[in-house]
């Protein structure tokens, strides 16, 4: 049949990671996007170029690639994940406005709201993650609702389509921190969300050598957000953008391997006498499994577990030889931390206790090492941690 108007199939994520947004350049530049290191440009062609304005070649290529991966009209790279979240809060709210935040949201986000924005007139309410209780949190000045899924550090999964539908019906912007899932495992815009934010420092970078953030959504929302990001000065230089573009090329492969390893370790840890409990997306009751599998392609590379009462946390961490106790996550190497002393250290002790974040809780970012090597390291640590 000739003259068919059928659209060609969309490229796979693996293909988008390599080719989406790539600039068409002459042969002498090779296959990689040239790194534009200049901070000064000739303006006589009518365009004022400046890296803080996010309009260099490297900005354009990386932003287009991230937009393609998230299924967004537009994306923007910022200097950090908190730079991206700050832009959202400062653009979409005014003094006297109200926001809804998922209970247990990343500690840095909570510190931004409570420590900086509340003194300037913003109000907020914590939401327990149940769709049937969300409407009760909405008031006349509610402007946005922000969640994570899976959550940090307890890996809870939120009903994203249910939340997006309810937020839209009330004219509220829905925002999700998609750092843990990445666009490889979850694409919230296709589930109805308005904005996606990432700490690109984590999986999008993937090599523990880059600090950046990402915003993705519609052009209508990204336009004002970009102006705020420019005013805040939350921009990356060409060399960092080139590192991010390099990392995105292997994003699918890394996340798939990390997910496979994490799922295996979650199963093995759950049967160990030195472990009091394990949290991983898709584990638990039927409802939790159904929700996770309906939204996510896999469970991801993060898991959390509590040491049993007869295991000493400090001795456990000291005994690990392969898995490194370190802040941050999402790298190709496995790292582990105590959220009570790192990501959620700024929360009050009684608040951490209410959330179940104590010094026995370990957050494990699983890398791409051999699974049996990782398991032997954890077994040795648990054995040596016994009282």
């Amino acid at each position: 049949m000739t003259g068919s108007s059928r659209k060609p199939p969309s490229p796979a994520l693996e293909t988008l990671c390599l080719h989406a947004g790539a600039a068409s350049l002459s042969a002498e530049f090779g296959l990689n996007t040239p790194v534009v290191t200049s901070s000064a440009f000739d303006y006589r062609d009518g365009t004022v170029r400046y890296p803080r304005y996010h309009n260099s070649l490297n900005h354009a290529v990386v932003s287009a690639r991230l937009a393609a991966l998230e299924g967004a009209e537009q994306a923007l790279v910022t200097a950090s994940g908190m730079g991206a979240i700050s832009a959202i809060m400062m653009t979409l709210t005014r003094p006297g406005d109200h926001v809804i935040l998922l209970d247990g949201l990343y500690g840095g986000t909570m510190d931004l709201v409570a420590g900086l924005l509340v003194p300037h007139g913003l109000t907020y309410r914590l939401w327990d993650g149940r769709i049937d209780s969300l409407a009760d949190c909405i008031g006349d000045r509610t402007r946005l609702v922000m969640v994570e899924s899976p959550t940090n550090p307890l890996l809870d999964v939120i009903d994203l389509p249910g939340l997006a539908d309810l937020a839209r019906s009330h004219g509220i912007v829905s925002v999700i921190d998609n750092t843990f899932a990445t666009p490889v495992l979850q694409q919230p815009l296709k589930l109805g969300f308005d904005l996606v934010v990432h700490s690109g420092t984590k999986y999008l970078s993937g090599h523990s050598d880059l600090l950046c953030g990402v915003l993705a959504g519609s052009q209508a929302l990204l336009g004002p957000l970009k102006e705020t990001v420019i005013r805040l000065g939350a921009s990356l230089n060409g060399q960092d953008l080139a590192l991010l573009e390099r990392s995105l090329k292997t994003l699918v492969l890394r996340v798939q391997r990390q997910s496979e390893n994490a799922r295996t370790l979650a199963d093995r840890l759950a049967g160990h006498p030195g472990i009091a409990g394990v949290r991983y997306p898709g584990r638990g009751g039927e409802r939790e499994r159904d929700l996770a599998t309906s939204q996510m392609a896999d469970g991801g590379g993060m898991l959390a577990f509590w040491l049993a009462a007869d295991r000493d946390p400090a001795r456990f961490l000291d005994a690990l030889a392969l898995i490194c106790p370190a802040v941050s996550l999402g790298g190709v190497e496995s790292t582990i931390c105590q959220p009570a002393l790192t990501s959620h250290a700024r929360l009050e002790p009684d608040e951490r206790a209410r959330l179940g974040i104590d010094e026995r809780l370990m957050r494990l970012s699983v890398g791409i090492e051999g699974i049996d090597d990782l398991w032997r390291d954890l077994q040795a640590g648990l054995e040596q941690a016994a009282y």
Side-chain angles (χ1 to χ4, degrees), residues 74 76 84 86-94 195 215 217-232:
Q74 200 170 82
L76 184 65
S86 297
I88 291 172
M89 294 296 179
M90 297 177 73
T91 304
L92 301 182
T93 68
R94 295 291 181 269
L195 282 173
L215 289 162
S218 67
Q219 293 180 2
L221 283 172
L222 265 290
L225 287 170
K226 183 176 181 179
E227 293 301 314
T228 301
V229 169
I230 291 172
R231 292 180 180 119
L232 292 173

Side-chain angles (χ1 to χ4, degrees), residues 30-277:
L31 294 179
N32 294 322
T33 306
V35 181
V36 179
T37 59
S38 297
S39 59
F41 297 83
D42 191 328
Y43 61 90
R44 291 174 296 171
D45 65 354
T47 300
V48 178
R49 294 180 178 86
Y50 189 57
R52 185 167 66 86
Y53 298 160
H54 293 252
N55 59 0
S56 73
L57 172 65
N58 297 110
H59 282 101
V61 170
V62 176
S63 295
R65 188 160 302 174
L66 288 163
L69 290 173
E70 284 289 359
E73 291 180 356
Q74 200 170 82
L76 184 65
V77 183
T78 63
S80 69
M82 286 307 302
I85 293 170
S86 297
I88 291 172
M89 294 296 179
M90 297 177 73
T91 304
L92 301 182
T93 68
R94 295 291 181 269
D97 284 346
H98 174 260
V99 299
I100 300 169
L101 305 175
L102 179 66
D103 196 7
L105 203 62
Y106 169 59
T109 303
M110 293 303 305
D111 184 55
L112 168 72
V113 172
L116 181 62
L117 301 180
V118 167
H120 288 275
L122 186 70
T123 63
Y124 72 94
R125 180 167 175 177
L126 298 177
W127 173 53
D128 63 9
R130 297 184 298 110
I131 297 300
D132 59 8
S133 67
L134 181 57
D136 295 335
C137 300
I138 298 173
D140 293 338
R141 297 290 299 270
T142 303
R143 297 293 178 257
L144 65 86
V145 53
M146 183 171 182
V147 300
E148 301 164 351
S149 185
T151 61
N152 177 19
L154 298 178
L155 287 306
D156 291 322
V157 176
I158 307 301
D159 180 354
L160 299 183
L163 184 155
D165 288 345
L166 188 58
R168 188 180 306 108
S169 70
H170 286 81
I172 299 168
V173 176
S174 53
V175 183
I176 181 170
D177 184 334
N178 201 34
T179 298
F180 275 20
T182 81
V184 176
L185 304 181
Q186 180 172 272
Q187 295 178 315
L189 298 177
K190 295 180 180 179
L191 299 176
F193 267 72
D194 296 310
L195 282 173
V196 170
V197 62
H198 288 269
S199 173
T201 308
K202 313 307 193 296
Y203 286 99
L204 300 184
S205 169
H207 294 78
S208 304
D209 59 2
L210 175 62
L211 189 70
C212 64
V214 173
L215 289 162
S218 67
Q219 293 180 2
L221 283 172
L222 265 290
L225 287 170
K226 183 176 181 179
E227 293 301 314
T228 301
V229 169
I230 291 172
R231 292 180 180 119
L232 292 173
S235 58
L236 288 188
N237 61 43
Q239 292 171 333
D240 285 344
L241 287 160
L243 279 177
L244 180 56
E245 183 183 356
R246 169 218 63 183
S247 299
L248 291 174
K249 293 179 180 181
T250 59
L251 178 63
V252 171
L253 301 177
R254 290 186 281 107
V255 170
Q256 287 176 341
R257 176 59 179 268
Q258 288 163 313
S259 297
E260 179 185 346
N261 278 352
R263 191 179 343 106
T264 301
L265 290 179
D267 290 340
R268 293 182 182 182
L269 284 166
H272 195 285
I275 298 297

